[in-house]
């Protein structure tokens, strides 16, 4: 069977079953997989957080994932909206490996808005689930799958979480499994920071830079130039349209929308990607310019 193009099964008796899951008695006896499973000999980190995250949280999830993946770390997450999606995108843009643990069958993309990431993860990393193909994304499935996310990781990073959050369930599983937990600190009184700040108060590591996580994983950062100058950036046609519309003088998002034949949601996603790549700046909210202006 061509494992890259079909759903395949892996039981706990199979040599391919992830070594990281074997010590725990509550792990599934069978996994359904599209693509591949994380490699046992490579370091891995889980990045999880709020679905309804802030723009700041999105950026941090993307940047942490991209830098970790750039150093050879496999990124584990759950393909949910918000933080999960940004973490997967960061790893993919770095050309790294990322794996999504689903709360439904691996033949179902949920949410449907993440179809592009779903397909890229299938092609370059892997989608896995303990639920049989065809299983809908029932709400009860998601807390359950979190033990697999933490189990596959050498550490867990939480980026933005409310006081009652599924991400804290993942952190709890990680603690029970003896895995280190890190959290992105946030402002006091910010609802999306309450969960992270509480984790830190309870003893989680403070994720103030990626080097903290690399030290935990005993990885020495590669000696290389900054990301944009180290790679030849080739913009896709839609990205080129948006980028070409900008100059060094900031433009309002409405001006960009009038000049570019794309939906507003597409434009916002492209602007965020270009901003994360260091090509675009947002000096004032909803005003964008080419970097260096």
């Amino acid at each position: 069977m061509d494992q890259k193009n079909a759903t395949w099964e892996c039981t706990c008796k199979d040599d391919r079953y992830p070594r990281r899951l074997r010590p725990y008695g509550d792990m599934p006896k069978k996994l359904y997989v599209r693509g591949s499973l994380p490699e046992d000999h490579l370091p891995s980190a889980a990045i999880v957080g709020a679905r309804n995250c802030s723009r700041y949280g999105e950026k941090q999830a993307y940047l942490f994932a991209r830098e970790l993946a750039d150093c050879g770390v496999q990124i584990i997450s759950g393909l949910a909206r918000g933080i999960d999606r940004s973490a997967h995108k960061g790893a993919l843009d770095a050309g790294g490996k990322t794996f999504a643990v689903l709360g439904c069958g691996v033949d179902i993309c949920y949410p449907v808005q993440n179809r592009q990431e779903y397909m890229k993860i299938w092609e370059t990393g892997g989608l896995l689930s303990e639920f049989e193909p065809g299983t809908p994304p029932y709400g009860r499935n998601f807390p359950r799958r979190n033990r697999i996310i933490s189990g596959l990781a050498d550490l867990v990073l939480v980026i933005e979480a409310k006081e009652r959050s599924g991400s804290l369930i993942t952190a709890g599983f990680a603690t029970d499994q003896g895995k280190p937990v890190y959290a992105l600190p946030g402002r006091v009184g910010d609802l999306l920071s309450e969960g992270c700040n509480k984790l830190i108060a309870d003893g989680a590591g403070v994720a103030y830079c990626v080097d903290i996580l690399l030290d935990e994983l005993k990885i020495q950062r590669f000696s290389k130039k900054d990301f944009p100058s180290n790679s030849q950036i080739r913009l896709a046609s839609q990205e080129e349209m948006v980028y070409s519309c900008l100059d060094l003088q900031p433009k309002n998002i409405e001006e960009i929308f009038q000049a570019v034949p794309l939906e507003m949601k597409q434009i916002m996603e492209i602007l965020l990607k270009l901003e994360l790549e260091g090509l675009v700046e947002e000096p004032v909210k909803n005003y964008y310019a080419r970097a260096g202006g």
Side-chain angles (χ1 to χ4, degrees):
M1 178 184 294
D2 184 354
Q3 293 177 2
K4 297 303 284 185
N5 296 314
T7 300
W8 57 282
E9 300 176 11
C10 180
T11 71
C12 59
K13 296 180 180 179
D14 194 319
D15 290 340
R16 297 170 296 179
Y17 192 87
R19 190 176 62 206
R20 289 181 177 90
L21 300 184
R22 292 187 181 276
Y24 313 114
D26 62 343
M27 290 300 164
K29 303 298 183 187
K30 179 188 292 185
L31 293 171
Y32 300 90
V33 187
R34 277 192 168 179
S36 59
L37 288 166
E39 297 188 48
D40 291 331
H41 68 283
L42 295 178
S44 64
I47 300 180
V48 297
R51 286 175 169 81
N52 298 316
C53 62
S54 70
R55 188 177 178 86
Y56 169 75
E58 252 184 358
K59 286 183 183 179
Q60 293 305 313
Y62 179 94
L63 292 171
F64 269 94
R66 190 180 73 182
E67 290 194 55
L68 288 168
D70 202 35
C71 291
V73 179
Q74 302 172 111
I75 303 300
I76 315 294
S77 199
L79 199 61
R81 296 188 307 273
I83 297 301
D84 287 16
R85 183 188 186 196
S86 294
H88 288 304
K89 287 176 72 173
L92 289 167
D93 286 353
K97 295 281 189 180
T98 186
F99 301 85
V101 183
L102 308 183
C104 55
V106 292
D107 57 330
I108 296 174
C109 175
Y110 179 82
V112 293
Q113 294 88 342
N114 290 357
R115 185 73 184 177
Q116 185 175 0
E117 289 75 28
Y118 175 94
M119 296 305 297
K120 286 183 178 178
I121 293 169
W122 183 1
E123 292 166 7
T124 63
L127 305 151
L128 58 142
S129 176
E130 65 183 302
F131 304 108
E132 293 184 359
T135 302
Y138 296 123
R140 64 178 180 271
N141 293 352
F142 292 90
R144 180 176 173 81
R145 64 89 188 263
N146 290 346
R147 77 195 192 285
I148 303 174
I149 292 177
S150 60
L152 289 170
D154 297 316
L155 64 80
V156 171
L157 170 61
V158 182
I159 294 184
E160 290 195 330
K162 293 183 179 180
E163 190 171 7
R164 296 180 181 277
S165 164
S167 303
L168 302 189
I169 295 175
T170 308
F173 280 127
T175 300
D176 292 343
Q177 293 164 354
K179 309 285 181 73
V181 175
Y182 284 80
L184 184 77
R187 294 179 297 183
V188 174
D190 189 329
L191 288 177
L192 284 171
S193 297
E194 286 183 352
C196 288
N197 290 341
K198 186 176 187 303
L199 284 174
I200 292 169
D202 290 342
V206 182
Y208 61 87
C209 70
V210 74
D211 288 330
I212 295 295
L213 306 184
L214 292 173
D215 287 345
E216 179 71 52
L217 295 169
K218 297 179 173 55
I219 296 173
Q220 187 171 0
R221 185 190 284 271
F222 301 148
S223 176
K224 58 201 306 186
K225 297 178 182 177
D226 60 279
F227 184 81
S229 62
N230 186 55
S231 58
Q232 291 186 339
I233 298 177
R234 295 173 182 165
L235 300 181
S237 57
Q238 290 185 344
E239 294 168 1
E240 180 63 43
M241 276 194 291
V242 175
Y243 186 72
S244 298
C245 171
L246 302 175
D247 51 39
L248 296 180
Q249 199 68 22
K251 284 188 178 180
N252 184 271
I253 185 64
E254 286 297 332
E255 292 181 73
I256 302 169
F257 178 65
Q258 294 298 325
V260 177
L262 295 173
E263 297 293 329
M264 180 64 80
K265 181 182 176 184
Q266 291 176 288
I267 293 172
M268 293 302 296
E269 288 184 352
I270 290 170
L271 285 169
L272 176 60
K273 185 174 188 295
L274 294 175
E275 189 177 355
L276 291 168
E277 290 178 347
L279 298 174
V280 167
E281 295 176 344
E282 185 185 14
V284 182
K285 185 172 176 60
N286 290 331
Y287 280 81
Y288 297 87
R290 294 189 181 189

